[in-house]
Amino acid sequence: MIKDPAIITKTLANYYGISTLALYSPTRSQQIVKVRHLAIYICRILLGLSYPSLSVIFKRDRSSLIHAIRRIKEDLEMVATANMFITEFKKLERAPALIQESILKST
C-alpha cells in the first residue's frame, strides 16, 4: 500500500507530462491545476491525510483543498452520470430492434 504522497504526485506528474514541482507551485494553468486537484483528492482518499497535512504538502489553505476535492468529486459524479446515460441510450438503440424481433416472431 502506498503511504507516501510524493509517490502519488510523481506518478501523476509523469503520467500527465508535467513537472512534479509544478504541482506544489502557485502555477494556475488549467492542466496543472487539474492534476494538482487529482493529487490532493487521491492523497486525501487513499492516504487519509488530514487537511493540515495536505496544506503543508501542497502549500494550499484549507478552503483551496476543500475546493479541489469537491471539484474532483463533481467530475467523478459527472462521469458516472454520463456512463449511466450512455448505457441507457444503448438500451434504447437496441429496443426498437428487439420489439421488431418479438413482433416478427409472434406472427
Side-chain angles (χ1 to χ4, degrees):
M1 178 89 157
I2 296 172
K3 295 184 184 208
D4 185 1
I7 293 171
I8 292 168
T9 55
K10 185 173 183 164
T11 302
L12 289 172
N14 287 339
Y15 181 81
Y16 286 100
I18 62 174
S19 161
T20 304
L21 294 176
L23 295 178
Y24 304 112
S25 74
T27 304
R28 295 174 73 168
S29 78
Q30 189 173 12
Q31 180 189 14
I32 292 171
V33 168
K34 286 186 178 217
V35 178
R36 183 186 301 130
H37 284 182
L38 185 58
I40 290 168
Y41 178 80
I42 291 172
C43 286
R44 175 78 173 161
I45 301 302
L46 186 64
L47 304 180
L49 295 179
S50 66
Y51 287 116
S53 297
L54 291 169
S55 183
V56 169
I57 294 166
F58 290 98
K59 301 178 179 105
R60 299 287 181 278
D61 63 25
R62 188 174 191 273
S63 63
S64 296
L65 299 169
I66 291 169
H67 174 74
I69 291 168
R70 185 179 302 133
R71 288 293 303 265
I72 295 297
K73 283 182 179 178
E74 288 170 0
D75 289 349
L76 290 172
E77 288 171 5
M78 186 65 92
V79 169
T81 301
N83 285 334
M84 179 199 66
F85 275 105
I86 289 168
T87 301
E88 292 303 314
F89 286 133
K90 284 181 177 179
K91 288 178 186 176
L92 290 175
E93 285 177 355
R94 289 192 304 257
L98 293 174
I99 292 169
Q100 274 187 328
E101 277 182 36
S102 67
I103 290 170
L104 291 174
K105 286 181 182 176
S106 66
T107 57

